[in-house]
């Protein structure tokens, strides 16, 4: 969005003519927009989806198709796992940052089983199978621990259960296209219409302050599209808007952005121009899958002082957050001969090896004795199956005492897969109403998906929440928009 703020709001009185009408206009066709459109159309609203690309999908279409669902889903039960909405809530409350939106979190957990069945009812395939690894399946398996449920301190706060549900598809990151295909089929069956190559540039505001339409550009021409009931912004995040990232999370500029060209923050700019409050603009998810396969968790992660700083058995996003925000982007993985494995992701290079910690310190430029002392302490406790400093699980604890030692560089900029996507933005009620700073809803304006500040508003330690919440709160936004001014 390069137009100045005042052009993002067009007074209704300045609309020359309406080129088309619908009850609900949805902006963006990713998982959130599609779910919104399905529910709006099913509620009887004439629904039009506008997508700036030549086809739907957005970032969802290139994602892994993992959804964080729980509370006792049919797949959890079939795989023999016990779960409840309360346990799910307790885990998410503890792992989504210091002040998550508890109202949204509660609804999301209480209705998760129902939401999962809704997804299945759209013929989205989920195999009733468990994937016993620490990264999303590259087979067609479904259920896995996609967060840090089994790690300290979460395992003491909530009974662990795997909640990552992966859409059935063969191959890495193959679930997203299957998910989007099914959602798009469902929205068309429900009667919603889709117009592609339409980039929404402005919202149209009535004299009473309510949003009553949008201006979209198609083939160089401006179209004025009336929304009788409501406009829903489902435009994705803003990781591709380098200006906004520089302003709110400059440390993220050094990382590879995870997202598509549509993640340029246009929804935020539109919402803001309409008076919306933005939350958690500096909150980012830092993906960092360096301990895959999980044999590597038996090694230790150290910073540029040769010190451990995290229990290595947490979700990779938690490790990424520590790395980027608190360790100046420097991190090494130290293994011995017994814990050695080749990292699954490319770009993680072996940068030092030696018969003793001292040799590694010299090669890596770490302070003398720093790594030696770290290993001495770690090994003494690991021999007793304990990690009193960080609480790593006994299953991954074993003294690192079999030379040669090796060190992989996992630092930002080393080539290791450290990537970023945005978490915060438009403040919405659970029903999707976009809120002003005083909490009041902006009449006629709704939002869903990554253009909103949702569950993982300040911290993201579990995979699958983005699509999970995008589809769930998209549904609620569609239902609410269909009821508006009805
Ligand atoms: C490689 C990768 C893998 C991932 N894997 C997972 C995963 O497995 N599970 C998970 O939960 N999350 C995953 N994520 C994150 C997740 O994919 C996104 O956060 C989520 O899909 C966002 O959904 P959305 O509907 O909000 O946005 P999107 O899917 O990005 O859809 C937004 C749409 O809006 C359109 N748009 C934007 N601006 C305008 C405008 N002004 N006018 C008209 N149209 C507009 C865009 O073109 C786009 O099609 C992954 C991300 C990446 C990059």
């Amino acid at each position: 969005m390069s137009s100045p703020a005042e052009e993002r709001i067009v007074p209704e009185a300045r609309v020359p003519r309406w080129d088309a009408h619908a009850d609900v206009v949805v902006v963006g066709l990713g998982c959130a927009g599609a779910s919104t459109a399905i529910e709006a159309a099913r509620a009887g609203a004439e629904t039009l989806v506008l997508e700036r690309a030549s086809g739907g999908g957005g970032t969802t279409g290139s994602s892994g198709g993992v959804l964080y669902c729980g509370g006792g889903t049919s797949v959890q039960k079939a795989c023999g796992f016990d779960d409840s909405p309360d346990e799910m809530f307790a885990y998410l409350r503890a792992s989504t940052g210091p002040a998550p939106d508890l109202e949204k979190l509660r609804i999301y957990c209480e209705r998760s089983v129902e939401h999962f069945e809704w997804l299945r009812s759209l013929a989205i395939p989920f195999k009733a199978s468990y994937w016993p690894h620490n990264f999303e399946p590259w087979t067609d398996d479904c259920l896995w621990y996609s967060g840090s449920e089994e790690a300290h301190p979460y395992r003491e706060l909530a009974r662990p259960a795997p909640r990552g549900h992966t859409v059935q598809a063969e191959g890495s990151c193959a679930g997203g296209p299957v998910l989007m295909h099914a959602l798009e089929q469902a929205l068309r069956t429900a009667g919603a219409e889709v117009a592609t190559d339409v980039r929404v540039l402005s919202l149209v505001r009535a004299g009473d302050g309510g949003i009553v339409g949008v201006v979209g550009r198609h083939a160089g021409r401006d179209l004025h599209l009336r929304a009788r009931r409501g406009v829903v912004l489902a435009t994705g995040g803003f990781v591709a808007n380098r200006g906004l990232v520089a302003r709110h999370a400059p440390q993220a500029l050094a990382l590879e952005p995870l997202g598509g060209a549509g993640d340029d923050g246009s929804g935020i700019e539109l919402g803001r121009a309409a008076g919306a409050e933005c939350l958690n603009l500096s909150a980012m998810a830092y993906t960092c899958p360096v301990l895959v396969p999980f044999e590597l968790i038996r090694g230790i992660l150290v910073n540029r002082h040769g010190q451990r700083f995290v229990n290595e058995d947490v979700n990779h996003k938690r490790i990424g957050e520590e790395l980027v925000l608190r360790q100046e982007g420097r991190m090494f993985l130290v293994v011995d001969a017994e814990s050695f494995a080749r990292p699954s992701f490319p770009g993680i290079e072996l940068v030092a090896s030696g018969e003793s910690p001292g040799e590694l310190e010299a090669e890596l430029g770490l302070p003398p004795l720093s790594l030696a002392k770290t290993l001495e302490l770690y090994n003494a406790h690991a021999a007793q199956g304990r990690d009193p400093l960080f609480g790593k699980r006994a299953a991954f604890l074993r003294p690192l005492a079999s030379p040669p030692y090796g060190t992989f560089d996992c630092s930002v900029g080393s080539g290791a897969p450290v990537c970023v996507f945005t978490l915060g933005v438009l403040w919405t009620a659970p029903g999707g109403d976009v809120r002003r700073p005083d909490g009041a809803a902006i009449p006629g304006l709704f939002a869903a998906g990554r253009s909103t500040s949702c569950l993982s508003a300040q911290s993201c330690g579990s995979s699958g929440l983005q699509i999970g919440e995008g589809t769930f709160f998209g549904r609620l936004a569609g239902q609410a928009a269909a009821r508006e001014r009805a």
Side-chain angles (χ1 to χ4, degrees), residues 103-187:
E103 198 186 354
K104 280 185 185 159
L105 209 52
R106 180 54 81 186
I107 297 172
Y108 185 71
C109 296
E110 276 173 0
R111 293 188 50 188
S112 189
V113 169
E114 178 265 323
H115 183 54
F116 185 66
E117 288 311 312
W118 181 84
L119 293 160
R120 285 180 33 134
S121 75
L122 303 182
I124 296 167
F126 295 97
K127 190 174 168 184
S129 60
Y130 178 58
W131 170 252
H133 299 279
N134 65 332
F135 200 73
E136 67 189 60
W138 45 86
T139 60
D140 69 346
D141 288 311
C142 178
L143 188 67
W144 58 294
Y145 279 96
S146 67
S148 304
E149 296 85 354
E150 294 181 295
H152 173 75
Y154 309 105
R155 64 170 181 255
E156 289 97 34
L157 300 171
R159 192 179 61 229
R163 302 192 182 97
H165 289 67
T166 311
V167 173
Q168 186 175 5
E170 200 76 45
S172 191
C173 266
V178 176
L179 171 71
M180 276 312 302
H181 179 72
L183 288 172
E184 288 188 53
Q185 291 266 83
L187 76 86

Side-chain angles (χ1 to χ4, degrees), residues 116-398:
F116 185 66
E117 288 311 312
W118 181 84
L119 293 160
R120 285 180 33 134
S121 75
L122 303 182
I124 296 167
F126 295 97
K127 190 174 168 184
S129 60
Y130 178 58
W131 170 252
H133 299 279
N134 65 332
F135 200 73
E136 67 189 60
W138 45 86
T139 60
D140 69 346
D141 288 311
C142 178
L143 188 67
W144 58 294
Y145 279 96
S146 67
S148 304
E149 296 85 354
E150 294 181 295
H152 173 75
Y154 309 105
R155 64 170 181 255
E156 289 97 34
L157 300 171
R159 192 179 61 229
R163 302 192 182 97
H165 289 67
T166 311
V167 173
Q168 186 175 5
E170 200 76 45
S172 191
C173 266
V178 176
L179 171 71
M180 276 312 302
H181 179 72
L183 288 172
E184 288 188 53
Q185 291 266 83
L187 76 86
R188 289 193 165 90
T189 305
E193 287 197 18
V194 175
T196 55
D197 297 304
V198 180
R199 182 175 176 173
V200 170
L201 300 175
S202 314
L203 297 172
V204 179
R205 184 157 58 193
D208 66 1
I211 300 302
V212 293
V214 302
V215 183
R217 187 155 296 163
H218 174 69
R221 199 177 139 235
D222 282 353
L223 300 174
H224 295 81
L225 306 158
R226 170 122 165 84
R228 286 183 287 259
R229 298 189 189 171
V231 172
V232 185
L233 299 173
T235 51
F238 66 90
V239 77
N241 185 326
R242 307 312 274 165
L244 270 182
V245 174
R247 214 172 310 144
H248 297 284
Q251 70 282 356
L253 287 174
L255 310 177
E256 192 187 322
L258 263 188
D263 285 321
D264 67 352
S266 64
I268 309 167
E269 307 282 24
L270 290 165
R272 245 188 195 162
E277 173 73 308
C278 290
L279 297 182
N280 306 309
L281 279 158
S282 59
M284 305 276 149
Y286 299 102
T287 67
C288 181
V290 293
L291 301 182
V292 185
F294 65 12
E295 284 81 350
L296 287 171
I297 299 174
R298 294 177 306 180
I300 57 169
L301 291 170
V302 299
N303 62 17
R304 68 191 179 90
H305 307 299
Q307 308 288 304
R308 284 179 75 216
F309 55 90
V310 70
N311 39 335
E312 292 81 3
D313 58 347
V314 287
N315 178 274
H316 64 93
K317 294 198 188 94
R318 177 71 67 237
I319 293 172
E321 199 171 299
E322 286 294 325
L323 166 68
V324 175
L325 298 181
R326 287 178 278 280
Q327 304 302 333
E328 298 157 339
R330 300 289 304 283
M331 180 169 79
F332 300 105
L333 166 63
V334 180
V335 292
D336 68 353
E338 283 190 28
S339 54
F340 182 89
R342 201 151 288 288
S344 300
F345 282 80
I348 308 170
E349 301 298 337
L350 192 65
V351 289
S353 58
E355 293 299 315
S356 70
E359 284 180 55
L360 300 185
E361 287 160 3
E363 274 195 65
L364 298 169
L366 298 177
L369 286 180
S370 58
L371 188 56
K373 290 293 173 194
T374 295
L375 278 171
E376 191 183 318
L377 184 67
Y378 178 81
N379 287 348
H381 291 132
Q384 301 163 10
R386 299 190 314 123
D387 176 21
L389 266 61
F390 297 101
K392 184 166 160 177
R393 262 171 288 170
F396 296 110
L397 286 171
R398 202 188 43 74

Side-chain angles (χ1 to χ4, degrees), residues 1 26-34 50-53 55-68 136 144 173 180 198-201 234-237 257-267 270 317 421-422 448-452 462-470:
M1 289 296 279
V26 182
V27 186
L29 185 50
C31 68
L50 304 174
E51 166 55 50
R52 62 178 260 177
T59 302
T60 314
S62 53
S63 75
V66 180
L67 293 99
Y68 198 90
E136 67 189 60
W144 58 294
C173 266
M180 276 312 302
V198 180
R199 182 175 176 173
V200 170
L201 300 175
T235 51
L258 263 188
D263 285 321
D264 67 352
S266 64
L270 290 165
K317 294 198 188 94
F421 60 87
T422 60
R450 206 49 296 125
S451 55
T452 68
S462 307
S463 299
L465 275 174
Q466 313 305 313
I467 297 178
E469 69 183 61

